[in-house]
Amino acid sequence: MIIKTARGDSMIKKEMIAMLLAGGQGSRLGVLTANVAKPAVSFGGKYRIIDFPLSNCINSGIDTVGVLTQYRHLRLNTHIGIGIPWDLDRNHGGVTLLPPYEKNENADWYTGTANAIYQNMEYIENYNPDYVLILGGDHIYKMDYEVMLDFHKARNAGVTIACMPVPWEEASRFGVVVADTDGHIKEFEEKPEKPSSNLASMGIYIFDWPILKEALIRLKDQPGCDFGMHVIPYIHERDGSCYAYEFNGYWKDVGTLGSYWEANMELIDIVPEFNLYEEYWKIYTNNDTITPQYFSSTSRIERCIVAEGSEISGQVTGSIIGYDVTIGSGSLVKDSIIMSGSTIGENCIIDKAIVAESVDIGDGVCLGVGEFAPNAMNPKVYAFDLVTVAENSKIPAGVKVGKNTAIAGKTELSDYPDGLLVSGQSIVKAGDEQ
Amino acid sequence: MRAIGIVLAGGNSSRMEELSRKRAVSAMPVAGSYKSIDFALSNMSNSHIKKVAVLTQYRAESLNQHLNSSKWWDFGRKQGGLYILTPSITAENSYWYRGTADAIYQNLDFLRSSHEPYVVISSGDCVYKMDYNKVIESHIAKKADITVVYKNLNPEEDDITRFGVLKVLEDGRIAEFQEKPLEAVNNLVSTGVYVIRRRHLIELMEKSNKENRYDFVQDILVRYCGQKSFYGFRHEGYWSNIATVESYYKTNMDFLNKDVRDYFFKSYPSIYSKVSDMPPAKFNPGANIKNSLISGGCIINGEVENSILYKKVFVGNNCIIKNSIILDDVYIGDNTVVENCIVESGNTLKANASYMNRTGDADEEGDIKIVIEGTERYII
């Protein structure tokens, strides 16, 4: 369908556009998200979490994506740019970053997921879409949104919610739906104590744009207007045209350090459930480093994935290594995630750690020693026996660090009593405590 | 914006043996993730040359595919751009490029329609980093007609007699230019990088075309050497030409050397290439890598030593890859041994096979085996 543009010529109308919610901090990732939004956190060596939904969009034939940003969006902005890596640099459409902006009558932050869309209705109207796809920026999965749209059209739905079966004991963490065999939703429960279904919402919605628009305008004064809490229940009550689209592929929430670590580790399996090597569903990312990686004669590597430009001289097993990482000789890296640009000196032992980008670890450092102890600063976030090191941190030569610990900032030897950070302790030098 | 660039990328080389059967030398993969022409193009881009023509003729499919977008080298601008100039039939002639000078002559309109005063001519089969502005500055300072960039090449590392050999006087003037001499007077070889004033190049090309002379080196450099003022510009950094099997093998293996790697991979300015969106390389149980370069998209289950694996190579269980270069998209079945080989891209090597060089002695020259299986693969 052809519509008129502001300058008077005609352009192609977009059948469906995507709105990608990427404003969240992701506080359960602790110091990893102290300076970046969760969607910009590295994943799988060379990627960032937002690469997965963005690549899904272009692979599903959606070429117009609005990315809603709010928390610490600098990294996201530089990463996405004008969308060249995803082929989203388009004459008409493409990727647009949508931070909150000041208006005549008010100047609000995005107070909730649906509120963020409400504040950008003008952007959506520009493309005059029939359907709007709402996506989160914090899940690892491959999904053909076009198939979901076909499902939506076939049922004449007002809104289609992508759902997947989860273990019953975990169902209370999600919004769950009760649907009949055709997918028609009878009941909708947000984080119920006693779930009556184990079909959990994945936070992926397709709306008929007129229906969504009406709901957003009606609910515009709702504080913290949220899709799961307000918009879906509103549409469900009003005309009951909500359908559940059951998805049975790989889908992983990486909201906690534990699940983030686990999802990374799953990529190492000989035949991983989530396959990055698929030719016709590539995951794209913005990556300046294209050079091959070098393994010296002292290196020993097994069960790992390693990204471009890294130089490995030590022993690395069961780990995810980002690009431009240097691992010195005599070092042992085990069951860890080392993100791009980090340097690990010689004769280090890194055991079950998440080392963020551009971290400098001196010679002879041992991470992950000693006995288990709960983290004193934030026991819920820093669990799973992991050592978490924030980006741009520095760890001086020779120190030892226990389990369930967090380190952020340029630490010095004097920060470690007796050269040791015991299990459960944290050093956060730069910025606010996370 | 003082100069435009011309990259001569038309060539085939009989000394590349089977490797140049399916692509021009300029499209040969180098150092795991690059193609040979990336070096000349990146040098152009890093020297702020915004308008660059690539002259192609021989088996250009691979090259064209590589250059299908100019954005990777930052040529996708409103001013300038990347021009791929192939021979075309015109009202005047229907010839292929009969030589390098003829190739330039057939595209004189490219030169005429530019306004930049200088032209940098370069070839697509060399691995080096160079700031062409320095050459242009020297060219202007010396008031030269043509400036030829030369390199003092170690005769033990490469065969001097396959290059143009220069006799350079103390003030930088070139006294003699011998093309592929039987016996070289010294070790100063032409790198194939020339700077010349654009109008002067147009004049020379028009003149030599009238005289039915078509080769830039023989009919311009050698012929006019005594008459015009040709100056040399010495290149000090790494430079290597890949147009023989031995030098191709050696140039690649040079990247196992940390200094060479740091120079090209880690230090400013960068060499650019088309991004291929490969996932990170994966190392399964049984993998063991020693002194090797591994590129994106590889999946390794076996042993790799002193080798360079290009993108998307699969190495099966219990394989041993030694002193070899495996080009893009090769599948190597279980228990296969590859030693002292260059394996052509797109190959499938069967399981339990053995590929070794002819004599089993890697030190002897000419003993690199080129493996082309010719097995057809279909996309399932």
Side-chain angles (χ1 to χ4, degrees), chain A residues 27-63:
Chain A
S27 54
R28 286 176 302 157
L29 287 180
V31 290
L32 293 186
T33 53
N35 290 312
V36 296
K38 181 157 86 170
V41 170
S42 296
F43 186 86
K46 68 185 280 190
Y47 304 101
R48 295 186 189 279
I49 295 170
I50 196 168
D51 292 338
F52 296 87
L54 270 183
S55 301
N56 283 339
C57 280
I58 195 71
N59 288 335
S60 306
I62 298 168
D63 66 1

Side-chain angles (χ1 to χ4, degrees), chain A residues 317-329:
Chain A
T317 57
S319 296
I320 309 286
I321 312 294
Y323 55 87
D324 286 330
V325 171
T326 309
I327 297 177
S329 63

Side-chain angles (χ1 to χ4, degrees), chain B residues 272-297:
Chain B
Y272 315 108
S273 190
K274 184 177 176 175
V275 172
S276 52
D277 295 297
M278 287 293 162
K282 185 158 183 278
F283 302 89
N284 287 333
N288 189 2
I289 322 288
K290 302 282 182 216
N291 189 35
S292 297
L293 281 171
I294 312 287
S295 310

Side-chain angles (χ1 to χ4, degrees), chain A residues 46-47 267 269-270 277 279 282 284 290-295 297 299-306 309 311, chain B residues 31 33-34 261 265-266 273 276-283 285-287 289-294 312 379:
Chain A
K46 68 185 280 190
Y47 304 101
L267 297 173
D269 297 346
I270 294 186
Y277 296 79
E279 184 79 10
K282 273 191 182 175
Y284 302 97
I290 52 169
T291 57
Q293 44 200 271
Y294 176 75
F295 297 89
S297 16
S299 75
R300 188 78 184 83
I301 186 146
E302 227 178 27
R303 293 192 303 111
C304 283
I305 63 175
V306 184
E311 301 243 339
Chain B
S33 40
Y34 295 105
R261 232 168 34 240
F265 293 174
K266 308 274 180 202
S273 190
S276 52
D277 295 297
M278 287 293 162
K282 185 158 183 278
F283 302 89
I289 322 288
K290 302 282 182 216
N291 189 35
S292 297
L293 281 171
I294 312 287
K312 222 180 149 197
I379 292 162

Side-chain angles (χ1 to χ4, degrees), chain B residues 63-80:
Chain B
L63 196 60
N64 286 342
Q65 213 171 49
H66 188 60
L67 304 179
N68 71 349
S69 168
S70 58
K71 63 181 158 195
W72 312 118
W73 302 272
D74 212 10
F75 289 124
R77 300 287 140 206
K78 293 199 170 180
Q79 300 286 328

Side-chain angles (χ1 to χ4, degrees), chain A residues 109-179:
Chain A
W109 294 103
Y110 297 151
T111 59
T113 51
N115 177 263
I117 305 296
Y118 170 73
Q119 293 197 38
N120 286 287
M121 287 203 334
E122 203 184 333
Y123 170 80
I124 301 172
E125 288 287 357
N126 270 339
Y127 297 103
N128 193 21
D130 296 328
Y131 308 100
V132 175
L133 171 68
I134 307 289
L135 299 170
D138 44 9
H139 296 112
I140 306 299
Y141 65 108
K142 288 182 192 173
M143 184 175 183
D144 192 338
Y145 304 130
E146 214 176 351
V147 176
M148 184 173 165
L149 180 62
D150 290 343
F151 174 96
H152 179 88
K153 287 182 193 164
R155 285 169 184 65
N156 226 343
V159 50
T160 299
I161 305 169
C163 295
M164 72 182 299
V166 294
W168 278 94
E169 58 271 24
E170 281 183 37
S172 57
R173 292 205 294 125
F174 297 92
V176 295
V177 301
V178 183

Side-chain angles (χ1 to χ4, degrees), chain A residues 245-322:
Chain A
Y245 168 73
E246 194 173 321
F247 177 73
N248 283 304
Y250 182 93
W251 179 80
K252 189 91 181 176
D253 176 87
V254 288
T256 65
L257 286 173
S259 63
Y260 172 81
W261 181 82
E262 236 177 65
N264 270 284
M265 291 303 144
E266 282 169 6
L267 297 173
I268 302 171
D269 297 346
I270 294 186
V271 181
E273 207 187 323
F274 188 75
N275 187 3
L276 290 169
Y277 296 79
E278 206 174 23
E279 184 79 10
Y280 297 102
W281 203 275
K282 273 191 182 175
I283 305 299
Y284 302 97
T285 187
N286 188 352
N287 191 347
D288 290 336
T289 305
I290 52 169
T291 57
Q293 44 200 271
Y294 176 75
F295 297 89
S296 82
S297 16
T298 57
S299 75
R300 188 78 184 83
I301 186 146
E302 227 178 27
R303 293 192 303 111
C304 283
I305 63 175
V306 184
E308 282 88 347
S310 289
E311 301 243 339
I312 314 289
S313 304
Q315 188 183 339
V316 190
T317 57
S319 296
I320 309 286
I321 312 294

